[in-house]
């Protein structure tokens, strides 16, 4: 039986990128509902029954010179294969569920 995982928040992803030298993947966006903490997870849904989770290693506040709004930057540690996969997803302009539980 599938265990229901409690959603702690909703993170609206705007864009994402990777820094391979650091083995990290980053998601830029805003928390639109609930809370988010380091060591929690964001869930990337592929369809109603398939998803993957990314552990949030840290959360930074970022600002752009051309915008007054502040954004959150989710930092995740990834290997090269996971970075390739995540870049292929073109993650952005979507809502991600935030959970305390997940899989690395």
């Amino acid at each position: 039986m599938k265990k229901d995982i409690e959603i702690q928040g909703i993170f609206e992803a705007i864009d994402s990128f990777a820094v391979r030298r650091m083995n990290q993947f980053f998601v830029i966006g805003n928390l639109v509902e609930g809370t988010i903490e380091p060591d929690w997870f964001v869930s990337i849904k592929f369809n109603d029954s398939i998803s993957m989770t990314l552990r949030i290693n840290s959360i930074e506040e970022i600002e752009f010179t051309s915008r007054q709004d502040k954004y959150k930057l989710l930092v995740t540690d990834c290997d090269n294969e996971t970075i390739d996969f995540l870049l292929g997803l073109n993650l952005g302009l979507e809502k991600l569920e935030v959970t305390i539980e997940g899989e690395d």
Side-chain angles (χ1 to χ4, degrees), residues 1 8 23 39 60-61 79 89 91 99:
M1 177 182 273
Q8 302 298 315
N23 291 326
D39 289 325
E60 305 296 334
E61 192 170 278
D79 59 28
L89 291 176
L91 190 61
T99 61

Side-chain angles (χ1 to χ4, degrees), residues 53-75:
T53 55
L54 291 175
R55 182 181 295 275
I56 303 164
N57 295 96
S58 65
I59 303 167
E60 305 296 334
E61 192 170 278
I62 62 170
E63 300 176 54
F64 292 97
T65 56
S66 60
R67 299 180 184 177
Q68 289 187 346
D69 297 333
K70 294 180 182 178
Y71 297 91
K72 292 202 181 305
L73 180 68
L74 306 184
V75 182

Side-chain angles (χ1 to χ4, degrees), residues 13-55:
I14 296 169
D15 208 345
S16 59
F17 63 95
V19 178
R20 286 190 189 271
R21 184 180 57 78
M22 296 170 45
N23 291 326
Q24 291 183 316
F25 185 77
F26 302 86
V27 182
I28 300 169
N30 284 306
L31 186 67
V32 293
E33 182 181 316
T35 57
I36 191 167
E37 296 288 334
D39 289 325
W40 288 7
F41 295 85
V42 288
S43 178
I44 302 168
K45 289 192 175 201
F46 305 121
N47 60 39
D48 287 339
S49 60
I50 299 174
S51 66
M52 73 177 285
T53 55
L54 291 175
R55 182 181 295 275

